[in-house]
Amino acid sequence: MRKIIVCTFLTLDGVMQAPGGPDEDAESGFEHGGWQKAASDEEVGAGIAGWYQDSDAMLLGRKTYEIFASYWPEADPANPFTERMNGTHKYVASRTLTSVGWQNSTLLEGDVVDAVRRLKASDGGSINVVGSGDLAQTLMRHDLVDEYRLTIHPVIIGTGKRLFADGAVPTALEPVSVSTTKGGTVLAVYRPNGKPTYDSY
């Protein structure tokens, strides 16, 4: 059984929208695009690279796919992520795309939940969900996420799309590893561990 791993950059207040640049995603009037680079450091890059070692595919929603497909095929080959991003197989969940042209990409057919269940049951390594906030919400609602790999950066935005938005399914998390870089970014890996328990002091 393959694992579905949500890999996401977050602000301290949980925003995941447009970490990569001002024009990445201005939906709902978001004005803080590009917040991640200034809040990052070399330790973050090394940690993220390690998160991709046991995966052999990515699962992307339409918006993230189109952002990546417009950038990575022409990206600097000296960037260690360029070869990985182009060479890794991409599975794309979309209700509007009819084809995908970026190398090693496959458009999922039919209901996305059923398609992801089939992917999980197929042979291969882990599958990373990168960005793709709407898709991540769907996967969480249907108990399809096996692990979260989060970089939590020391910046507060105040508005924007959040990974764990209002209405998120209550879930207890088991910490796998948690560390902090010198720049204050938290690299956290968690696995779902049933429902939360409640008590009082």
Side-chain angles (χ1 to χ4, degrees):
M1 182 73 73
R2 302 172 82 174
K3 292 196 301 184
I4 300 295
I5 300 172
V6 170
C7 299
T8 304
F9 303 138
L10 298 176
T11 64
L12 191 60
D13 55 335
V15 175
M16 64 180 297
Q17 187 170 354
D23 301 321
E24 187 175 77
D25 179 4
E27 187 175 331
S28 301
F30 189 68
E31 299 178 344
H32 305 287
W35 54 263
Q36 192 262 346
K37 184 174 182 180
S40 192
D41 53 41
E42 291 183 1
E43 289 178 87
V44 172
I48 294 169
W51 289 354
Y52 283 79
Q53 294 304 310
D54 62 350
S55 68
D56 62 9
M58 290 187 291
L59 176 58
L60 305 172
R62 178 188 60 81
K63 291 178 184 177
T64 300
Y65 173 79
E66 290 182 333
I67 291 167
F68 284 5
S70 69
Y71 176 79
W72 286 109
E74 306 300 327
D76 182 357
N79 182 335
F81 276 96
T82 299
E83 182 178 357
R84 174 172 288 277
M85 296 297 282
N86 288 318
T88 295
H89 200 96
K90 279 77 67 173
Y91 296 102
V92 185
S94 172
R95 291 186 293 268
T96 57
L97 292 177
T98 57
S99 63
V100 286
W102 185 16
Q103 67 185 82
N104 301 316
S105 295
T106 300
L107 186 62
L108 296 179
E109 297 181 356
D111 179 76
V112 65
V113 173
D114 291 338
V116 172
R117 286 181 176 141
R118 289 192 296 270
L119 277 179
K120 284 173 65 75
S122 65
D123 293 331
S126 299
I127 302 171
N128 288 350
V129 181
V130 184
S132 308
D134 293 341
L135 174 60
Q137 303 298 318
T138 298
L139 300 177
M140 289 189 286
R141 285 195 300 271
H142 290 86
D143 195 28
L144 290 170
V145 177
D146 298 290
E147 193 167 282
Y148 296 94
R149 298 182 181 181
L150 312 174
T151 62
I152 305 168
H153 298 269
V155 59
I156 295 172
I157 296 298
T159 62
K161 300 173 187 174
R162 288 172 166 80
L163 177 61
F164 303 111
D166 289 348
V169 177
T171 305
L173 298 175
E174 171 192 0
V176 176
S177 65
V178 180
S179 62
T180 305
T181 71
K182 292 178 182 178
T185 294
V186 177
L187 305 175
V189 180
Y190 299 103
R191 290 180 187 143
N193 189 27
K195 298 296 183 183
T197 57
Y198 305 94
D199 205 341
S200 60
Y201 289 96

